[in-house]
Amino acid sequence: MISKFKSINNFAVFQNFSWDTSIRDDGNNVVLFKPINIFYGRNYSGKTTLSRIVRALETGNISDKYESPQFQVCLKDIVDVTQNNLTAHGKKIRVFNEDFVKDNLRFIVNSNESITPFAIIGGNATIEAEIQSLRSDLGINEDGNESGFYLELKNVNVIADNALQTFQVENSQLDQQLTTKALDRTTGIKYKSDRFGDQNYTKAKLSSDIETVLADSFRPLTDDEVTQKLHLLDERANADIQTIAKPNLYLESLNIRAKELVTKPISSSNKIEQLLKDAILNRWVKEGRHIHKEKLDKCAFCDNDISEERWKELDSHFDEESAKLETGIDSLISEIESLILNVGTQLQINKSAFYLKFHSDLDNLILQRQKAIDSIKSELNRIKASLQVRKDDLLNAKTFVDIIDNSKQLEDCWQKFEDLRTQTNSYSNSLGNEQTEAKKLLRLREVSDFVKTIQYTAVTARIQILKDTSDTAAQNKHVVDQKIQQQIVQIEDKERMMKDEEKGALKVNEYLNNFFGHDFLTLQALEETDKKIRFEIVRSGKKAHHLSEGECSLIAFCYFMAKLEDVETKGSKPIIWIDDPISSLDSNHIFFVYSLINAEIITRQEFEQIFISTHNLDFLKYLKRLPNALNKNLCGYFLISREKEFSRIRLMPRYLKDYVTEFNFLFHQIYMCSTADADDENQHNLFYNFGNNTRKFLEAFLYYKYPNANDQIEKLTKFFGNNRQASTMTDRINNEFSHLEGLFERSMTPIDIPEMKKTATFILDKIQAKDNEQYEALLSSIGVEIGSE
């Protein structure tokens, strides 16, 4: 349904027209078109221009004679139509105007041309029954009243829409979760590139990562591994670690020397037997000798003299060989002690110089190194103890247990250190790649946790079920829709079998004859040699020429009315625009045009919306009799007026819309004058126009009441009877207040309002007194309830 011409610009007589500015009621509300719409406008006011806009919506074309026309037509629940999308509305529209006549009835313009034929349905009862059966199965496609296949389609549509909506809601929720996880500025992976990498992360990449973490082969990082990867991301490239000298303790050489010293025998000749047998005593004597020699002559212990001979015995016992052995032992012990201190400094490892990923191996290496060092120290201390035992008992050779050489373990530690050092130095070059891989693994762990949190697998499985359900419902809908289309095709095929252009011509003739009584003019369907059909106007059995304008108008309108029942239009309830159909017709034919519209369109409700324009007040009077014409919710009245070069549309004034005739209007003016407040300046126009209104009303009223009276004075006298004051006042007002010629001085004085109000009351009282039934009918015609006056 068309709701309004929102704007018209540069289109013939319409320039910069705005509906919302021009079409407003007394409450300043925008008024829209109704199902029935009546336009009144004088010739050349722009009625046909409006019809051409609507016809452009029907044909999809605008005359190229208009330069850059612009308009916007609003339709209910449909996108607005402009000059750029004329057929986007999808509505069935039928327009009767002079362009329709030129396109379809070229004969009227040129008698050598023919009339475009059309076909209507009819002629075969069997096929008609089949069509009726097909239509019955197809059903009705009216909102709220669907039946047949259309009801089935409505039901599957509801199911399909609900299934689709449920699927879309679930899918949208998941999509929003994915979007948030990927792109949210606070929690999204994209904006945590320092941890997850990829500043250009997208929802599509998240979907790819989800596929990765859902694979059977995927193993997410453990919490400890996550911590390691995070530490790795904090690392920066270290300086190269320098090599450490390989440990070389020469334990084998030391073992040989120690063994030689511990096991070396000392000659027993010239030795004091008692000292040989007692190592402690021997050590005591040795120390005493050292204390006394060349210092004391007497024994500090027993105070006896030490003889020269005793000194010789002692010197022979503690000879050079023993001294040399002791010196060798002391030297080796000192060397071992230094080695014990030195071995702890071997292979010093600075853990902080290594990357975090190597710390675990370094911890193991440090433990292994310490173990090796401890075992080496242990062996060295054992050798040292063996040497000390021999030193304490120099004169007696001892058994020697070879050292266990654990220096190989320390060398192994050094080799592992070198391996880690080499890997670390190489790792500096690949740290970027390692960190990139760490970010990827951390991201996949994040995605894995996300998938578990939202129960992605269960949700996607449910969404897939909903999608399958929606697809099935959509397929069912498609099947029913296809069934409907096939049914429509079958109906159209059957209708084609019944197409009868002659029926179209007969329908035109039916209208000409039944509504207008023109049986001397007929339309005939003639078949050409190529089997094509053409229409021809015939008068008295011969092709008609020189048709009058009235005849042309009648035939054109009957043709249009009959064409509303052609194959393409019948049953479609089109939007109809009828532009001034009574041109050059007399009053009888005007009424018949009204009757045809009322009977064939309005009463049968064969339209979605109808627009009728006219320049004729008699035709306007008839249009007000249409069903629902007085229902303000169903019928709208509009006036098209031209002001100099341009036209505009506005609401029809009350004097045109509310009154069936001017007579009713004049009676209403007299009635309002009788009840008006004389002090109300807003009602001054009632008294100012009272003279003219009263004169015209009484001329009409008294002419029909007293058709035999000779002049107006006589009619007034008969009407008012013995009330000479009323007749005199009325005559005076009729003459003085409706004319200024010869009474110019009257224009210099104010209007006598009380006198006019009194006269109006005289007239109404007399009408009521003489014919109360007529008086009540007049009151009813102006909307005044009986008894309320």
Side-chain angles (χ1 to χ4, degrees):
M1 181 178 291
I2 297 174
S3 57
K4 61 183 177 181
F5 295 111
K6 186 173 184 179
S7 62
I8 309 174
N9 186 37
N10 205 30
F11 202 98
V13 293
F14 287 94
Q15 294 288 336
N16 300 317
F17 170 76
S18 171
W19 182 280
D20 291 351
T21 301
S22 302
I23 314 297
R24 291 181 176 268
D25 60 17
D26 294 338
N28 201 34
N29 302 303
V30 175
V31 178
L32 304 178
F33 284 134
K34 305 297 189 298
I36 301 173
N37 302 278
I38 298 171
F39 288 86
Y40 174 77
R42 296 181 178 179
N43 287 331
Y44 314 112
S45 62
K47 300 187 299 299
T48 299
T49 299
L50 291 181
S51 72
R52 281 176 173 150
I53 293 176
V54 181
R55 182 162 169 79
L57 272 61
E58 175 187 4
T59 63
N61 297 306
I62 305 176
S63 172
D64 56 8
K65 300 298 188 294
Y66 296 112
E67 295 183 4
S68 303
Q70 297 177 354
F71 57 82
Q72 188 171 357
V73 181
C74 297
L75 290 90
K76 184 179 179 182
D77 301 329
I78 299 177
V79 66
D80 292 354
V81 179
T82 69
Q83 66 280 358
N84 298 320
N85 63 336
L86 293 173
T87 59
H89 52 82
K91 292 286 186 179
K92 188 77 73 174
I93 297 176
R94 294 293 180 261
V95 176
F96 174 79
N97 62 6
E98 64 179 45
D99 295 335
F100 171 85
V101 175
K102 291 177 181 177
D103 290 345
N104 294 277
L105 293 96
R106 292 183 295 274
F107 173 88
I108 291 176
V109 180
N110 182 355
S111 60
N112 292 322
E113 294 282 353
S114 62
I115 298 175
T116 303
F118 62 88
I120 61 176
I121 301 298
N124 188 310
T126 301
I127 297 179
E128 284 182 357
E130 292 175 356
I131 292 174
Q132 184 59 38
S133 176
L134 291 170
R135 287 190 181 277
S136 178
D137 292 340
L138 181 61
I140 299 172
N141 190 23
E142 291 183 1
D143 190 22
N145 295 312
E146 294 86 353
S147 62
F149 293 168
Y150 286 113
L151 179 59
E152 185 180 353
L153 180 62
K154 179 180 180 180
N155 293 334
V156 297
N157 269 339
V158 170
I159 295 173
D161 290 345
N162 289 339
L164 179 61
Q165 183 178 8
T166 303
F167 160 70
Q168 288 177 337
V169 167
E170 290 275 350
N171 195 55
S172 177
Q173 290 176 349
L174 177 60
D175 185 76
Q176 183 59 46
Q177 288 178 309
L178 295 177
T179 300
T180 300
K181 190 62 182 176
L183 304 174
D184 184 79
R185 288 187 172 273
T186 303
T187 61
I189 292 175
K190 175 179 180 179
Y191 295 98
K192 293 184 177 182
S193 58
D194 56 333
R195 176 167 180 166
F196 301 125
D198 198 351
Q199 295 178 342
N200 299 316
Y201 199 73
T202 63
K203 190 177 71 172
K205 291 181 179 179
L206 174 59
S207 298
S208 177
D209 283 346
I210 289 175
E211 289 184 11
T212 299
V213 302
L214 290 178
D216 294 337
S217 59
F218 175 76
R219 184 187 67 81
L221 294 175
T222 64
D223 291 345
D224 290 340
E225 289 172 332
V226 168
T227 301
Q228 293 174 8
K229 297 301 181 185
L230 291 175
H231 286 316
L232 171 60
L233 297 183
D234 293 334
E235 290 184 334
R236 298 295 179 266
N238 297 335
D240 283 351
I241 300 173
Q242 300 301 316
T243 187
I244 296 177
K246 183 177 180 180
N248 197 348
L249 302 179
Y250 305 105
L251 294 183
E252 184 177 355
S253 171
L254 184 145
N255 182 68
I256 294 172
R257 291 164 58 200
K259 184 175 183 179
E260 182 180 349
L261 291 173
V262 171
T263 60
K264 182 176 181 181
I266 297 295
S267 175
S268 58
S269 59
N270 300 320
K271 297 294 190 280
I272 301 172
E273 183 69 22
Q274 187 179 5
L275 296 181
L276 288 173
K277 295 179 180 180
D278 192 341
I280 295 175
L281 181 61
N282 184 70
R283 185 169 62 254
W284 181 78
V285 172
K286 180 182 177 183
E287 291 175 355
R289 175 177 175 269
H290 178 69
I291 293 171
H292 290 78
K293 189 172 179 64
E294 298 179 354
K295 296 178 181 177
L296 297 174
D297 295 330
K298 290 185 178 183
C299 175
F301 179 73
C302 64
D303 198 30
N304 292 320
D305 292 332
I306 302 173
S307 63
E308 189 67 26
E309 182 179 357
R310 190 61 177 170
W311 279 114
K312 289 180 180 179
E313 289 177 353
L314 290 173
D315 287 340
S316 295
H317 183 82
F318 297 105
D319 55 11
E320 182 179 357
E321 182 181 11
S322 298
K324 186 175 181 181
L325 176 59
E326 185 177 13
T327 301
I329 290 174
D330 286 339
S331 175
L332 187 55
I333 287 175
S334 177
E335 185 177 339
I336 290 174
E337 288 176 346
S338 296
L339 185 58
I340 289 173
L341 294 175
N342 177 263
V343 75
T345 64
Q346 296 292 313
L347 196 60
Q348 294 286 343
I349 298 175
N350 181 10
K351 184 177 174 181
S352 63
F354 289 79
Y355 294 108
L356 183 66
K357 69 172 294 183
F358 299 107
H359 282 192
S360 177
D361 291 338
L362 283 170
D363 289 338
N364 292 330
L365 178 59
I366 290 171
L367 289 175
Q368 185 179 348
R369 166 189 173 274
Q370 190 61 45
K371 183 178 179 181
I373 289 175
D374 290 344
S375 63
I376 291 172
K377 284 183 177 181
S378 176
E379 285 297 302
L380 288 174
N381 283 320
R382 185 177 64 80
I383 299 301
K384 175 185 172 184
S386 297
L387 290 171
Q388 188 64 45
V389 169
R390 178 59 193 272
K391 178 181 177 182
D392 292 342
D393 191 10
L394 281 174
L395 301 179
N396 298 303
K398 304 297 181 181
T399 302
F400 182 80
V401 178
D402 289 329
I403 191 171
I404 298 174
D405 191 356
N406 290 317
S407 62
K408 179 63 176 175
Q409 296 178 10
L410 194 59
E411 292 176 5
D412 289 343
C413 290
W414 175 84
Q415 187 59 53
K416 291 180 179 179
F417 171 83
E418 281 296 297
D419 293 341
L420 290 174
R421 184 184 70 82
T422 302
Q423 292 177 39
T424 297
N425 292 341
S426 299
Y427 184 70
S428 296
N429 298 325
S430 62
L431 178 61
N433 294 334
E434 290 283 340
Q435 289 178 330
T436 298
E437 180 65 17
K439 290 179 180 179
K440 175 184 175 182
L441 295 175
L442 287 169
R443 185 178 74 245
L444 292 177
R445 165 63 189 268
E446 181 75 9
V447 173
S448 178
D449 290 345
F450 169 72
V451 165
K452 293 175 183 176
T453 300
I454 69 170
Q455 297 181 322
Y456 180 85
T457 302
V459 170
T460 52
R462 184 168 65 251
I463 289 174
Q464 185 59 48
I465 292 173
L466 293 175
K467 183 179 185 304
D468 293 341
T469 302
S470 176
D471 290 344
T472 300
Q475 180 61 31
N476 293 339
K477 173 183 173 182
H478 177 72
V479 169
V480 177
D481 189 62
Q482 287 294 105
K483 182 166 66 172
I484 289 174
Q485 297 305 317
Q486 292 172 4
Q487 195 82 348
I488 291 173
V489 169
Q490 289 185 59
I491 292 172
E492 290 175 347
D493 289 342
K494 297 290 183 183
E495 287 176 343
R496 281 192 206 96
M497 296 171 64
M498 294 183 61
K499 270 189 177 182
D500 192 342
E501 285 81 0
E502 187 173 358
K503 293 290 183 181
L506 292 176
K507 195 67 178 178
V508 175
N509 295 335
E510 177 187 333
Y511 290 152
L512 283 170
N513 188 28
N514 293 348
F515 284 90
F516 300 101
H518 280 271
D519 54 356
F520 51 86
L521 270 181
T522 60
L523 197 65
Q524 288 187 356
L526 304 178
E527 185 176 348
E528 302 285 359
T529 55
D530 57 0
K531 300 299 181 179
K532 289 184 178 180
I533 301 297
R534 64 181 177 87
F535 282 174
E536 189 171 86
I537 299 176
V538 176
R539 179 188 283 126
S540 300
K542 297 181 180 180
K543 184 175 181 179
H545 295 279
H546 309 299
L547 298 178
S548 69
E549 290 187 12
E551 289 174 330
C552 291
S553 296
L554 282 180
I555 292 173
F557 188 66
C558 289
Y559 176 89
F560 173 78
M561 291 295 297
K563 205 169 187 306
L564 292 177
E565 297 193 27
D566 68 8
V567 174
E568 295 180 357
T569 309
K570 186 175 178 61
S572 64
K573 289 198 172 184
I575 295 174
I576 300 173
W577 188 293
I578 299 175
D579 177 38
D580 217 352
I582 48 82
S583 177
S584 303
L585 296 180
D586 58 28
S587 58
N588 286 335
H589 287 117
I590 291 173
F591 176 77
F592 290 137
V593 168
Y594 155 76
S595 299
L596 182 57
I597 293 173
N598 184 23
E600 297 299 306
I601 299 178
I602 304 298
T603 301
R604 294 169 59 184
Q605 289 292 301
E606 291 293 335
F607 66 97
E608 177 184 350
Q609 189 177 26
I610 187 168
F611 300 83
I612 307 172
S613 66
T614 183
H615 73 286
N616 187 283
L617 289 173
D618 286 335
F619 189 53
L620 177 63
K621 174 184 68 177
Y622 290 132
L623 292 177
K624 295 176 185 178
R625 300 179 185 177
L626 290 172
N628 298 316
L630 299 181
N631 187 330
K632 64 180 181 180
N633 295 320
L634 298 176
C635 186
Y637 291 85
F638 303 90
L639 180 69
I640 306 174
S641 60
R642 183 165 181 172
E643 300 171 2
K644 296 182 180 179
E645 296 181 1
F646 306 122
S647 293
R648 68 187 183 98
I649 308 170
R650 58 191 178 96
L651 293 178
M652 188 178 290
R654 289 191 62 199
Y655 71 83
L656 279 177
K657 181 180 70 171
D658 294 344
Y659 303 106
V660 177
T661 66
E662 185 180 7
F663 182 76
N664 301 83
F665 170 75
L666 295 172
F667 176 80
H668 195 191
Q669 296 299 303
I670 295 172
Y671 175 82
M672 288 193 296
C673 188
S674 71
T675 59
D677 183 358
D679 296 327
D680 187 354
E681 294 183 357
N682 293 326
Q683 296 184 335
H684 179 74
N685 63 309
L686 290 173
F687 302 106
Y688 182 82
N689 295 322
F690 182 75
N692 277 324
N693 292 338
T694 302
R695 176 178 58 80
K696 293 169 69 177
F697 173 77
L698 289 176
E699 284 177 351
F701 179 76
L702 296 178
Y703 174 79
Y704 285 102
K705 190 166 187 64
Y706 306 112
N708 60 336
N710 293 326
D711 56 28
Q712 191 70 7
I713 296 297
E714 183 181 353
K715 294 176 183 177
L716 287 173
T717 301
K718 286 185 176 183
F719 178 65
F720 286 107
N722 295 327
N723 193 338
R724 301 290 297 175
Q725 180 187 8
S727 61
T728 301
M729 288 176 61
T730 302
D731 182 57
R732 175 172 173 267
I733 289 172
N734 287 350
N735 283 281
E736 293 186 10
F737 288 94
S738 64
H739 303 90
L740 285 179
E741 184 179 2
L743 297 170
F744 183 73
E745 67 280 2
R746 213 283 302 151
S747 66
M748 306 298 291
T749 61
I751 294 174
D752 190 348
I753 292 177
E755 183 179 357
M756 292 183 179
K757 185 171 183 179
K758 186 175 183 181
T759 301
T761 303
F762 279 153
I763 294 171
L764 296 178
D765 290 345
K766 185 54 67 175
I767 294 175
Q768 183 179 20
K770 284 184 172 290
D771 192 341
N772 185 63
E773 186 177 5
Q774 182 184 26
Y775 177 71
E776 291 181 352
L778 286 170
L779 288 178
S780 178
S781 73
I782 63 172
V784 177
E785 295 183 5
I786 307 302
S788 65
E789 71 277 11

